[in-house]
Amino acid sequence: MNKINEFINSGLYETLLKAVQERNVEIDNIVPFSLLDYDRERLVAARIEIEDLKALLSTNMEEATSFVKSKMQLDFDEEDEYPVGEEVIDDEKPRTINELPYYKNFLVAFLIEYYLLKIQPKELGKYLKRIRIAHASKYEDRLKELWKNVL
């Protein structure tokens, strides 16, 4: 957890964070320990180390920035999430009451996906299933499409 905390407070990570903040993204610099633990679990599920992310980011900052910005523009809400005949009426759909700022560590999850797309693309689907992403195959396809556009 200390390694993750050091990483998100490093100059390298701050550079990426500043590039993202140009999009008027509000960031909360105080990260609860539980979220750092969650990041550690994601790294374990991806079977990579925080040093892998550091190394990749240090040599591919421009590409990583492009990936993160592109991903932040995507709308991952699925309108067809429910089978035909079982759709939810508008009154039952979830609504956002307040939009809270992103915690500073939010880019760790993006960087894990970036790493897998760039270095271990065959592992992306397995990773998404390990972290129990809903509709993992669809999400993987969307990420791969985004990746092609970044390249």
Side-chain angles (χ1 to χ4, degrees):
M1 209 160 42
N2 283 339
K3 288 182 179 184
I4 297 169
N5 197 33
E6 288 172 14
F7 177 59
I8 66 172
N9 288 304
S10 70
L12 194 60
Y13 189 89
E14 290 285 338
T15 300
L16 180 59
L17 196 58
K18 285 179 185 172
V20 171
Q21 282 182 295
E22 291 174 0
R23 304 180 83 31
N24 295 322
V25 174
E26 189 178 347
I27 306 292
D28 186 343
N29 287 318
I30 300 171
V31 181
F33 287 116
S34 59
L35 291 182
L36 294 176
D37 194 42
Y38 185 66
D39 287 338
R40 183 188 57 76
E41 290 172 7
R42 282 179 172 250
L43 286 164
V44 168
R47 298 184 176 140
I48 60 176
E49 301 289 329
I50 200 72
E51 289 79 14
D52 297 326
L53 297 183
K54 285 182 195 177
L56 186 64
L57 190 56
S58 69
T59 57
N60 296 281
M61 180 62 76
E62 189 175 317
E63 186 180 76
T65 301
S66 179
F67 173 78
V68 169
K69 286 182 176 181
S70 296
K71 185 172 178 205
M72 291 183 77
Q73 290 177 345
L74 283 183
D75 179 16
F76 283 99
D77 292 335
E78 294 291 331
E79 287 298 319
D80 60 348
E81 185 173 336
Y82 300 96
V84 176
E86 295 181 29
E87 297 91 353
V88 176
I89 59 174
D90 285 340
D91 290 343
E92 294 177 356
K93 287 184 180 177
R95 297 196 194 310
T96 302
I97 297 171
N98 282 335
E99 279 196 37
L100 300 174
Y102 287 92
Y103 285 108
K104 185 177 182 178
N105 69 317
F106 83 99
L107 292 175
V108 173
F110 285 39
L111 290 172
I112 291 170
E113 293 171 351
Y114 169 66
Y115 179 91
L116 291 172
L117 284 163
K118 183 166 182 70
I119 306 297
Q120 300 174 350
K122 292 181 180 180
E123 296 300 313
L124 179 63
K126 296 173 191 173
Y127 162 74
L128 295 174
K129 289 176 184 170
R130 278 187 221 114
I131 63 169
R132 297 187 175 117
I133 292 283
H135 307 289
S137 296
K138 285 184 185 180
Y139 185 69
E140 179 183 11
D141 291 344
R142 296 282 308 271
L143 286 175
K144 285 181 177 179
E145 180 182 315
L146 179 143
W147 178 242
K148 286 179 188 173
N149 292 332
V150 166
L151 294 177

